[in-house]
Amino acid sequence: MGFVPALSTPPTTRIEPAPVVANIADPRARRIRDILRAGNGARRTILIDDEENILQALHDDVRVDDIFVAGETRELGQALRCAVDIPVHRLSDAVASRLFRGEKRVRTFALARCPRRPTLADIVRRRGDILILDGVRLTGNIGALTRTAAAFDAAGIVLVNSGLISVYDRRLIRASRGLVFSLPVVTASRHDVPAFLVESDATLVALSVQAVDPVAGLANLPGRVAVLLGSERTGASPQLEAAATHRFSVPINAAVESLNVSVAGALALYERLHRAA
């Protein structure tokens, strides 16, 4: 699993002059509009925002067909411009505004072929612990946990009742900084989890505010662990909570009700690193 190294001040290359897409009826604009309307989960083509995420997609062998720059943007980072010979198109401010409407203005984005969707078997074949997110629906939290899982060498993430049609949802790509292309993130049902745990030879443990044992105890568990995290409001489902053989909590100030799920997941995976250290 490799990640794109960060460039502190990436050099830039001027985009060769090209006709500006200045009409919403232009076939290129219509294609973008259709993808935005359908959503990434319903298309064979996905939209990837920002140069960093496009670079990560290319690094993970995602086929990028076209790159678009909008408004006054006239330059691309050298790493992206020279990564591969990809057509670059320019959108006028007016067309970009109509396409993205009230959203935060996107200056650089790409259209790419949707990769093969990962499966539970992909996670089983990899080394490392696992995150199981039950009822976690905010893409910002899922994306943050994807970055965390990649940083701490986890095998993958299982999403239960996430509400996502596809893990290649544009919002999740953005929130994960493109690392959803590197780490298997799989949607599954609660009924899939027991057999998956057996196949992956993983012990299910839950993080819960009601638990007595502190999260540091995770470091002492042998073998592979699947960490169960639920939503901040309702927690994990009773079905999966009951299947957990260990429960841990993160000790915090009593005046604070709970931690964000992405923070709790990061602490759990960090504690697991001590076992390998």
Side-chain angles (χ1 to χ4, degrees), residues 73-256:
T73 304
R74 293 294 184 272
E75 298 180 340
L76 289 178
Q78 184 76 8
L80 180 56
R81 189 70 180 94
C82 297
V84 66
D85 187 18
I86 302 170
V88 178
H89 314 272
R90 292 189 290 143
L91 300 179
S92 69
D93 266 330
V95 168
S97 295
R98 289 189 64 181
L99 288 172
F100 294 98
R101 298 187 180 275
E103 296 185 38
K104 178 182 177 182
R105 182 63 59 85
V106 177
R107 291 297 184 185
T108 305
F109 63 94
L111 300 184
R113 302 293 178 90
C114 187
R116 178 186 70 84
R117 297 184 184 184
T119 66
L120 293 174
D122 292 319
I123 298 178
V124 171
R125 286 191 290 265
R126 292 165 60 98
R127 294 183 178 180
D129 293 325
I130 302 160
L131 290 182
I132 298 181
L133 311 185
D134 185 7
V136 178
R137 287 177 164 252
L138 291 179
T139 52
N141 286 336
I142 297 172
L145 282 164
T146 300
R147 293 172 62 192
T148 296
F152 291 137
D153 296 327
I157 297 178
V158 179
L159 303 179
V160 175
N161 190 26
S162 67
L164 290 174
I165 297 173
S166 168
V167 296
Y168 299 122
D169 182 278
R170 178 186 169 204
R171 300 163 299 169
L172 179 52
I173 295 171
R174 190 166 52 215
S176 72
R177 300 287 181 89
L179 290 173
V180 70
F181 298 120
S182 292
L183 185 82
V185 180
V186 181
T187 57
S189 73
R190 293 190 179 102
H191 300 293
D192 296 327
V193 174
F196 166 71
L197 292 171
V198 171
E199 190 175 2
S200 58
D201 195 23
T203 300
L204 183 66
V205 303
L207 286 192
S208 171
V209 293
Q210 288 84 28
V212 175
D213 295 330
V215 70
L218 273 169
N220 301 321
L221 295 181
R224 178 184 253 186
V225 164
V227 180
L228 175 65
L229 295 160
S231 70
E232 290 180 55
R233 179 172 296 181
T234 61
S237 65
Q239 177 183 342
L240 292 187
E241 278 277 0
T245 57
H246 300 78
R247 290 171 180 78
F248 300 96
S249 66
V250 179
I252 58 175
N253 189 311
V256 179

